[in-house]
Amino acid sequence: MCAATSPIDCHSLPDAAGHFGQFGGVYVPETLMTALQELTAAYEQAKADPLYRAELRHHLKEFAGRPTELYYAERLTTHCGGAKIFFKREDLLHTGAHKINNAIGQVLLAIRMGKKRIIAETGAGQHGVATAAVCAKFGLQCVIYMGAVDMERQALNVFRMRLMGAEVRGVEAGQKTLKDAVNEAMRDWVTNVRDTHYILGSALGAHPYPMMVRDFHRVIGQEAKEQIIAREGRLPDEIVACVGGGSNAIGVFFDFLQEATVKLIGVEAGGRGIKLGEHAARFEGGKLGVLQGSKTYILQNPDGQIELTHSVSAGLDYAAIGPEHAYYRDIGRIGYAYATDDEVMETFQLVSRLEGIIPALESTHAIVEGLKRAKALPKDKIVLINLSGRGDKDVNQVAKMLGVKLF
Ligand SMILES: *Cc1c(COP(=O)(O)O)cnc(C)c1O
């Protein structure tokens, strides 16, 4: 455990039981305890094995396309008239977002553990596509759980997964979206844990997932640190990333936590505004609770039932935030803001026009906040924005919202 007096020295977090301060932990049925303990042990062993690390590095390079570029957004910088704006280009990775970092790490771990079957949940379909791609590459059986409503909204991603050999199972329970898909995946895991590994897609859930998923995305911040120093001779002043479960954000932030001069800002989904049920900004009215294995901030109604959430971007539309974010928010090391659907729609078009880069709607939340901050800073400052994914997946939805008929 870290000393409470030096909160940013907490690279030892979580503790052995998976706690980040009062957050995180392992709140699961008894039947899953053994599987999670086995996974924790296997992960600790793999992490210490130079062979595993070399293999991971190799596939991140050859299959995913790492390292990703650090890009100077020159026209956006001029447009804002303030700090220099840089993008960390996770959108250039294979399958279109940072998610493949985690999918590769966990598939290699599953292979080490002798598991031949992979299951995963997906909301927008991005984690499902990344998992299906890596399973195809390594010849593993792959089952993806997806809410029936999401399957309809993201039909193209369902087809992509099936093309790559995954079985996509629709979930008809509850709201038929991500939360319900996670429940089904956990149910499958309990039943088939002997030969099955569950690849959770964000820095969420029971220990060791928040720690493990973070570790697989740390490469984003490690590369960014090297790249900005090589290019500008110093660290950035502010780093901004969008926060769904929190994996791309904690990945880019982690290696800067101990750099006291670097401000870190996570951006949640403000949806149609901060009214219960209209957004997914957990730090704007969320309360401490337990959801799907972890204690953290959760949007809930006065009875403690999980509240409906809304965001223009499916990848940020979830009622709980990763426990490590809850911790760093409480101790004041990471600040959090939100961007509304309207701001995101406007900035999505602005970035496409000025930079020739179509960002994912999720990532656009980070850009909205990054541009506000760049405008308020002098020209010798640097704002680094994590561009977590590309917007190709979103253009149909955006066209529809703009009233443009494509077919
Ligand atoms: C899934 C996704 C997110 C949200 O997930 P995090 O775990 O919070 O990173 C953000 N951006 C993109 C492009 C995504 O696909």
Side-chain angles (χ1 to χ4, degrees):
M1 265 303 273
C2 75
T5 48
S6 82
I8 58 171
D9 255 346
C10 295
H11 277 206
S12 55
L13 288 183
D15 68 14
H19 294 110
F20 303 87
Q22 64 169 320
F23 306 104
V26 187
Y27 296 87
V28 296
E30 205 51 40
T31 39
L32 272 184
M33 285 306 284
T34 316
L36 287 165
Q37 282 160 0
E38 183 198 15
L39 178 60
T40 306
Y43 175 60
E44 292 297 348
Q45 199 195 48
K47 196 160 73 164
D49 182 349
L51 265 176
Y52 174 81
R53 295 158 72 101
E55 210 183 347
L56 179 58
R57 240 190 334 268
H58 169 76
H59 295 297
L60 283 176
K61 176 174 185 294
E62 193 182 279
F63 192 59
R66 302 213 73 90
T68 61
E69 288 297 327
L70 182 77
Y71 168 81
Y72 175 42
E74 193 169 356
R75 293 191 69 209
L76 267 180
T77 298
T78 306
H79 175 84
C80 291
K84 276 187 163 175
I85 299 164
F86 285 88
F87 289 163
K88 178 62 175 159
R89 298 289 308 272
E90 294 298 291
D91 62 312
L92 295 176
L93 288 175
H94 181 41
T95 67
H98 66 291
K99 293 208 168 68
I100 193 135
N101 300 327
N102 172 50
I104 292 176
Q106 287 203 47
V107 161
L108 292 177
L109 187 60
I111 293 169
R112 269 176 83 99
M113 294 174 77
K115 311 254 165 151
K116 305 231 175 324
R117 180 173 176 270
I118 298 293
I119 58 171
E121 84 294 340
T122 198
Q126 290 303 103
H127 175 54
V129 167
T131 302
V134 181
C135 285
K137 172 178 167 53
F138 289 98
L140 298 177
Q141 189 193 344
C142 179
V143 175
I144 304 291
Y145 288 94
M146 192 169 185
V149 168
D150 288 337
M151 279 181 75
E152 209 174 295
R153 288 195 288 206
Q154 303 287 339
L156 202 59
N157 273 341
V158 173
F159 185 61
R160 283 196 182 101
M161 290 182 250
R162 287 178 173 155
L163 270 177
M164 294 187 284
E167 180 192 337
V168 183
R169 292 191 186 164
V171 176
E172 297 286 349
Q175 305 296 323
K176 309 179 190 193
T177 59
L178 178 61
K179 177 166 60 66
D180 315 292
V182 174
N183 286 338
E184 276 309 306
M186 281 168 75
R187 206 162 295 148
D188 180 317
W189 202 31
V190 171
T191 315
N192 301 297
V193 66
R194 207 174 292 262
D195 72 335
T196 298
H197 174 64
Y198 173 26
I199 303 190
L200 214 149
S202 188
L204 282 167
H207 183 64
Y209 284 104
M211 169 183 78
M212 193 166 71
V213 176
R214 171 198 74 197
D215 290 350
F216 289 134
H217 288 300
R218 270 184 68 179
V219 64
I220 306 172
Q222 287 165 341
E223 285 176 11
K225 199 173 198 177
E226 252 187 60
Q227 290 166 323
I228 197 77
I229 289 172
R231 197 187 150 116
E232 297 289 309
R234 67 181 189 88
L235 295 173
D237 298 283
E238 309 202 354
I239 305 178
V240 190
C242 66
V243 186
S247 69
N248 85 88
I250 201 67
V252 72
F253 292 161
F254 197 76
D255 279 64
F256 293 91
L257 282 168
Q258 288 174 304
E259 307 287 359
T261 61
V262 182
K263 269 196 189 167
L264 306 172
I265 304 100
V267 186
E268 299 186 280
R272 290 184 283 256
I274 304 303
K275 283 184 298 269
L276 209 53
E278 298 288 317
H279 67 97
R282 288 64 45 102
F283 291 140
E284 305 294 327
K287 290 194 283 293
L288 195 59
V290 170
L291 181 63
Q292 293 172 333
S294 186
K295 186 191 275 186
T296 185
Y297 283 94
I298 300 166
L299 288 167
Q300 41 194 306
N301 72 15
D303 296 335
Q305 294 297 317
I306 304 308
E307 188 52 76
L308 289 180
T309 52
H310 162 81
S311 170
V312 67
S313 66
L316 304 185
D317 197 352
Y318 187 67
I321 192 163
E324 191 162 8
H325 287 279
Y327 174 74
Y328 283 117
R329 190 253 192 179
D330 266 21
I331 65 167
R333 177 61 188 100
I334 304 179
Y336 292 84
Y338 62 85
T340 64
D341 290 357
D342 287 347
E343 291 174 311
V344 165
M345 285 296 289
E346 195 184 309
T347 299
F348 178 87
Q349 296 169 78
L350 179 76
V351 175
S352 301
R353 208 165 52 235
L354 287 186
E355 295 293 347
I357 294 171
I358 302 176
L361 287 172
E362 290 83 2
S363 324
T364 308
H365 285 70
I367 305 177
V368 167
E369 179 65 20
L371 299 191
K372 286 183 194 167
R373 287 172 172 271
K375 279 179 193 165
L377 287 169
K379 289 187 173 161
D380 62 344
K381 298 289 183 189
I382 298 171
V383 173
L384 193 157
I385 301 170
N386 195 35
L387 196 57
S388 54
R390 70 180 84 126
D392 304 37
K393 67 182 177 59
D394 298 316
V395 292
N396 272 326
Q397 184 190 343
V398 170
K400 206 163 153 189
M401 292 175 72
L402 295 175
V404 177
K405 228 176 142 51
L406 293 181
F407 305 104

